[in-house]
Amino acid sequence: IIITGAFFGVVHGNLAAVFPLMAFGSILCIVRDRFGLFTCIALHALFNLHTFIWLYLAPNASSQL
């Protein structure tokens, strides 16, 4: 789980988000084990949708800090 989560975080190529993505990858690994692949894919898609909506609604939010 830890190795898979680490790979998930690194493969996304965003240095600022490596650790949160590693955690999310580990969670997805557990979800895949307990609830199946479709649930894991659906959760990943919802996460991507959430990120897309935030980037669309507030594209400069991260640079406003």
Side-chain angles (χ1 to χ4, degrees):
I1 291 171
I2 293 170
I3 293 170
T4 302
F7 181 73
F8 184 85
V10 170
V11 79
H12 279 81
N14 186 346
L15 188 58
V18 166
F19 293 114
L21 287 173
M22 287 171 63
F24 185 61
S26 296
I27 290 168
L28 287 178
C29 193
I30 294 168
V31 168
R32 162 59 175 92
D33 186 47
R34 293 188 182 175
F35 301 105
L37 182 61
F38 180 76
T39 305
C40 180
I41 292 170
L43 188 60
H44 190 283
L46 286 173
F47 180 79
N48 288 347
L49 178 64
H50 175 265
T51 303
F52 176 78
I53 289 171
W54 269 108
L55 289 174
Y56 180 74
L57 292 177
N60 299 320
S62 64
S63 63
Q64 299 287 329
L65 299 176

